Amino acid sequence: MQPRCCNTRIMASNSDFVQYIVDQCCGAGEVTVKKMFGDYGIYCDGKIFGLICDDCFYLKPTEAVRPLLRVVDMRPPYEGAKDYFYIADVDDRDYLSRLVSETCKVLPDPKPKKKR
């Protein structure tokens, strides 16, 4: 399942594509998504590691993952955003799970939620 062109803002992501990405990354741990500003933040074991915007998958850039990428393609997931790794090859489950796992190893733990 390859995404359409991601260079222009068209509309929010299709829920089937979002679920496909979650399923493809599940080898890294407990993968969940949260709707954010019309698109999705994607988490593994509570750490946000990427975004799904306009049916495209973006991974937080880390130097630990750069050498593992088949293609290094940096793009902003939405206008005004910093560049993320754009991952076009979303059909290889082992590859995506490894990218997610290695990314999450170097990301900080989420901050505990404040009690109200």
Side-chain angles (χ1 to χ4, degrees):
M1 171 182 252
Q2 290 295 321
R4 65 179 183 274
C5 176
C6 300
N7 294 329
T8 59
R9 187 91 178 135
I10 297 170
M11 61 183 191
S13 295
N14 176 298
S15 61
D16 290 337
F17 181 78
V18 173
Q19 187 59 52
Y20 182 74
I21 297 299
V22 169
D23 293 344
Q24 291 296 91
C25 297
C26 70
E30 182 183 348
V31 177
T32 58
V33 292
K34 291 184 185 173
K35 195 160 183 106
M36 304 170 69
F37 311 110
D39 282 304
Y40 296 86
I42 186 165
Y43 298 75
C44 182
D45 298 328
K47 291 182 181 183
I48 187 166
F49 65 85
L51 299 170
I52 302 171
C53 299
D54 294 330
D55 290 343
C56 296
F57 177 50
Y58 298 90
L59 188 67
K60 281 190 172 186
T62 64
E63 288 307 312
V65 170
R66 184 179 292 273
L68 302 177
L69 294 170
R70 294 175 180 159
V71 175
V72 177
D73 185 355
M74 301 289 292
R75 300 182 188 184
Y78 54 88
E79 189 174 328
K82 294 180 180 180
D83 284 346
Y84 276 59
F85 292 133
Y86 166 66
I87 309 297
D89 184 4
V90 296
D91 296 324
D92 184 338
R93 182 181 300 230
D94 293 334
Y95 174 63
L96 285 188
S97 292
R98 182 163 184 226
L99 293 179
V100 170
S101 180
E102 294 302 316
T103 297
C104 289
K105 283 180 185 177
V106 298
L107 293 177
D109 289 330
K111 295 178 182 174
K113 294 182 179 181
K114 295 180 182 178
K115 293 184 181 183
R116 293 182 183 189

